[in-house]
Amino acid sequence: MPSQSHGEDDGRLAAARENETLTPMSMTVEQIITETKSWPEEQIKTLFERFLLANYRLPDPQLDQAWAAEIKRRADDIESGREVGIPGDEVMARVRKIVGL
């Protein structure tokens, strides 16, 4: 039987790759954290942005502006004494009670 040239082998491999179906690999959150710890900051930023865009709404400048104004108003109310904040420990105790922890 005559041997095939490398060029023919390469063509068959390329055709086989085109027909491949990739199965996504499952990773735990802990594996993702471990994997990304050594990534450059810019790569982490890109991953985070893509995750947000894939799973949440696109930014809405009007909504973001409204929230910024509300946050400023609330902070001003606390700083001026018109409102009194609730200590974090108390808030967390309430949350734990609500969720049954």
Side-chain angles (χ1 to χ4, degrees), residues 1 4 6 9 11 13-14 17-18 21 24 26 31 37 39 50 53 56-58 66 68 70-71 78-79 84-85 87:
M1 181 182 228
Q4 296 178 337
H6 289 292
D9 287 341
L13 287 173
R17 284 190 190 111
E18 285 179 19
T21 302
S26 296
Q31 288 171 319
K37 278 185 179 179
W39 288 12
R50 290 186 64 187
L53 288 174
Y56 299 96
R57 69 171 178 82
L58 291 173
E70 178 65 14
I71 291 166
I78 289 173
E79 289 173 2
V84 178

Side-chain angles (χ1 to χ4, degrees), residues 17-89:
R17 284 190 190 111
E18 285 179 19
N19 294 326
E20 273 183 14
T21 302
L22 297 177
T23 304
M25 294 177 57
S26 296
M27 292 180 76
T28 66
V29 172
E30 203 54 46
Q31 288 171 319
I32 293 169
I33 298 297
T34 300
E35 172 68 26
T36 57
K37 278 185 179 179
S38 63
W39 288 12
E41 186 176 327
E42 191 61 33
Q43 199 170 6
I44 296 290
K45 180 181 173 189
T46 300
L47 173 65
F48 190 68
E49 287 173 352
R50 290 186 64 187
F51 173 80
L52 290 175
L53 288 174
N55 293 286
Y56 299 96
R57 69 171 178 82
L58 291 173
D60 178 341
Q62 289 180 330
L63 184 60
D64 292 344
Q65 190 175 31
W67 270 113
E70 178 65 14
I71 291 166
K72 182 177 181 341
R73 184 191 65 76
R74 290 181 187 193
D76 289 346
D77 285 350
I78 289 173
E79 289 173 2
S80 71
R82 287 186 299 265
E83 295 287 339
V84 178
I86 302 170
D89 291 343

